[in-house]
Amino acid sequence: MREPLRGIIGAVPAYAASKPQLLARLKRIEGQTRGVQKMVDEDRYCIDVLTQISAIQAALDKVALGLLDEHVKHCVVEGHGPGTQEELTEEMMGAIGRLLAR
Amino acid sequence: MREPLRGIIGAVPAYAASKPQLLARLKRIEGQTRGVQKMVDEDRYCIDVLTQISAIQAALDKVALGLLDEHVKHCVVEGHGPGTQEELTEEMMGAIGRLLAR
Amino acid sequence: MREPLRGIIGAVPAYAASKPQLLARLKRIEGQTRGVQKMVDEDRYCIDVLTQISAIQAALDKVALGLLDEHVKHCVVEGHGPGTQEELTEEMMGAIGRLLAR
Amino acid sequence: MREPLRGIIGAVPAYAASKPQLLARLKRIEGQTRGVQKMVDEDRYCIDVLTQISAIQAALDKVALGLLDEHVKHCVVEGHGPGTQEELTEEMMGAIGRLLAR
């Protein structure tokens, strides 16, 4: 098996331009996970808890798709990533496979 | 469309017995979401961020399956939920559909 | 590990009442898989092939949710399945887990 | 909304080199869908039917990932697709989103 590619230390990541929005979304997701804890703590109804968990999953999927999109544009297509395009493509497919399979 | 069932105020939720473990797992997931923010803040490589997001999704799936399991046992089968078994089953199938479809 | 439950030979399955519709849906899905083969055979554009595959997945998800629904109603809740309710619930959660994880 | 990209008539698809294997896998999936019909026709146990459906889903996921992989290599990276790289990337992200969301 091939070694995983290492991000280049000090390199600008593919998501540099959208970093503030990305952090804001992740902050909101963190808040949602705290909200679910509060629901459980208050003995809220299981199905309502599950609905909130589905909402977090959907929000994480959106973040993941956004990251993938920027990765493809900046790393795979423009070739700014830490490897050859073949390596970067293979690595990206692995990431998509993990998202699909969870 | 049918009204959503409301949890009975003051009722013991189906997850009562495992509440401490459930809260501990949710706390850990909250920590993972903070970890992803730190990675983004430090400009870490996109694929590594995606791998962490997949790990959170997997952890949330586990929590959701655990909740569903207790819901089926306590609410649907034993009939302790806020509705008839038919209503409870329908509602549960809705929750499973949302998890599948995100 | 516990032995898998065996369906009772000669037993009426949970989906008995909707068997004709279920078979019709599966027949249509079979047709969709043939359609995808035709697309590939005609060198159709990859993204169009992928869109068709997503449509088959969605159709299979619907069939799976329908089967689960009937299983819960007839086997788990009414207790007509090949095992105790605890065994049936555990088995059902395994099936849901497999659908989620693929 | 942007018009969908049309595959170029007469163009060699990204999956040209693996077309025989791809067709063989799709043929096998078609056989699996017939197998599920037979199971339903013989009143087989719901959970066993569901297990088979999960197997078909997993097989379709594999085909989809394989197609995506070839699409990225030949169309997005090498730029042989029917559009600019930006259009092709956007289109590909749409396909990944549909696979994730089903």
Side-chain angles (χ1 to χ4, degrees):
Chain A
M1 224 191 106
R2 186 180 283 178
E3 281 290 289
L5 303 176
R6 297 287 90 229
I8 298 154
I9 303 296
V12 175
Y15 51 77
S18 65
K19 195 167 149 174
Q21 294 91 314
L22 181 54
L23 283 171
R25 288 170 111 177
L26 288 168
K27 192 93 214 148
R28 213 171 314 131
I29 289 169
E30 186 197 332
Q32 286 179 292
T33 64
R34 257 197 306 275
V36 172
Q37 287 172 70
K38 192 164 172 288
M39 290 177 86
V40 168
D41 201 49
E42 293 172 349
D43 293 337
R44 293 277 293 279
Y45 183 42
C46 346
I47 295 290
D48 295 337
V49 179
L50 281 171
T51 302
Q52 273 314 102
I53 291 177
S54 291
I56 301 178
Q57 303 260 38
L60 284 168
D61 274 339
K62 260 195 184 161
V63 168
L65 280 173
L67 278 170
L68 257 182
D69 184 50
E70 294 176 299
H71 180 68
V72 176
K73 280 179 194 146
H74 298 263
C75 300
V76 181
V77 172
E78 294 177 15
H80 292 152
T84 64
Q85 281 196 325
E86 203 210 321
E87 288 169 335
L88 288 165
T89 305
E90 202 177 288
E91 186 188 56
M92 183 192 71
M93 294 311 301
I96 296 172
R98 281 191 294 278
L99 284 173
L100 273 180
R102 288 194 274 194
Chain B
M1 225 190 105
R2 186 180 283 177
E3 281 291 290
L5 302 176
R6 297 286 90 229
I8 299 153
I9 303 295
V12 175
Y15 51 77
S18 64
K19 196 168 149 175
Q21 294 91 313
L22 181 54
L23 283 170
R25 289 169 110 177
L26 288 168
K27 193 93 214 149
R28 213 172 312 133
I29 289 169
E30 186 197 332
Q32 286 177 292
T33 64
R34 257 196 307 275
V36 172
Q37 288 172 69
K38 193 163 171 288
M39 290 177 85
V40 168
D41 202 49
E42 293 172 350
D43 293 336
R44 294 277 294 279
Y45 184 42
C46 346
I47 295 290
D48 295 337
V49 179
L50 282 171
T51 302
Q52 273 314 102
I53 291 178
S54 290
I56 301 178
Q57 300 267 37
L60 284 168
D61 273 339
K62 258 196 188 163
V63 168
L65 279 174
L67 277 170
L68 258 182
D69 183 51
E70 294 176 299
H71 181 68
V72 175
K73 279 179 194 146
H74 298 263
C75 299
V76 181
V77 172
E78 293 178 16
H80 291 153
T84 64
Q85 282 195 324
E86 203 209 321
E87 287 168 336
L88 289 166
T89 305
E90 202 177 289
E91 185 188 54
M92 183 192 70
M93 293 310 303
I96 295 172
R98 282 190 295 278
L99 284 173
L100 274 181
R102 285 195 277 194
Chain C
M1 221 190 110
R2 187 181 281 178
E3 281 291 288
L5 303 175
R6 297 287 90 229
I8 299 154
I9 303 295
V12 175
Y15 51 77
S18 65
K19 196 167 150 175
Q21 293 92 313
L22 181 54
L23 283 171
R25 289 171 110 178
L26 289 168
K27 193 93 215 149
R28 213 172 313 132
I29 290 169
E30 186 197 332
Q32 286 178 293
T33 64
R34 258 197 307 274
V36 172
Q37 288 172 70
K38 194 164 170 288
M39 289 176 86
V40 168
D41 201 50
E42 292 172 349
D43 293 336
R44 293 277 294 280
Y45 183 44
C46 346
I47 295 290
D48 295 337
V49 178
L50 281 171
T51 302
Q52 273 314 102
I53 290 177
S54 290
I56 301 178
Q57 301 267 37
L60 284 168
D61 273 339
K62 259 196 187 162
V63 167
L65 278 174
L67 277 170
L68 257 183
D69 184 51
E70 294 177 299
H71 181 68
V72 176
K73 279 180 194 146
H74 298 263
C75 298
V76 181
V77 173
E78 294 178 17
H80 291 153
T84 64
Q85 281 196 325
E86 203 210 322
E87 287 169 337
L88 288 165
T89 304
E90 201 177 290
E91 186 188 53
M92 184 192 72
M93 294 312 302
I96 295 171
R98 281 191 296 277
L99 285 173
L100 274 181
R102 288 196 276 196
Chain D
M1 221 188 111
R2 185 180 283 179
E3 281 290 289
L5 303 176
R6 299 285 90 232
I8 299 152
I9 303 296
V12 175
Y15 50 78
S18 65
K19 195 167 149 174
Q21 294 91 313
L22 181 54
L23 283 171
R25 287 170 111 178
L26 289 168
K27 192 94 214 148
R28 214 173 311 132
I29 289 169
E30 186 197 333
Q32 286 178 293
T33 64
R34 258 198 305 276
V36 172
Q37 288 172 70
K38 194 164 170 286
M39 288 176 86
V40 168
D41 201 50
E42 292 172 351
D43 293 337
R44 294 277 294 278
Y45 183 43
C46 347
I47 295 290
D48 295 337
V49 178
L50 282 170
T51 302
Q52 273 314 103
I53 290 176
S54 290
I56 300 178
Q57 303 260 37
L60 283 168
D61 273 339
K62 260 195 185 162
V63 168
L65 279 174
L67 278 170
L68 258 182
D69 184 51
E70 294 176 299
H71 180 68
V72 177
K73 280 180 193 146
H74 298 263
C75 299
V76 181
V77 173
E78 294 178 15
H80 292 152
T84 64
Q85 282 195 326
E86 203 210 322
E87 287 170 334
L88 288 165
T89 305
E90 202 177 289
E91 186 188 54
M92 183 192 71
M93 294 311 302
I96 295 172
R98 282 192 293 280
L99 284 173
L100 273 181
R102 288 194 277 195

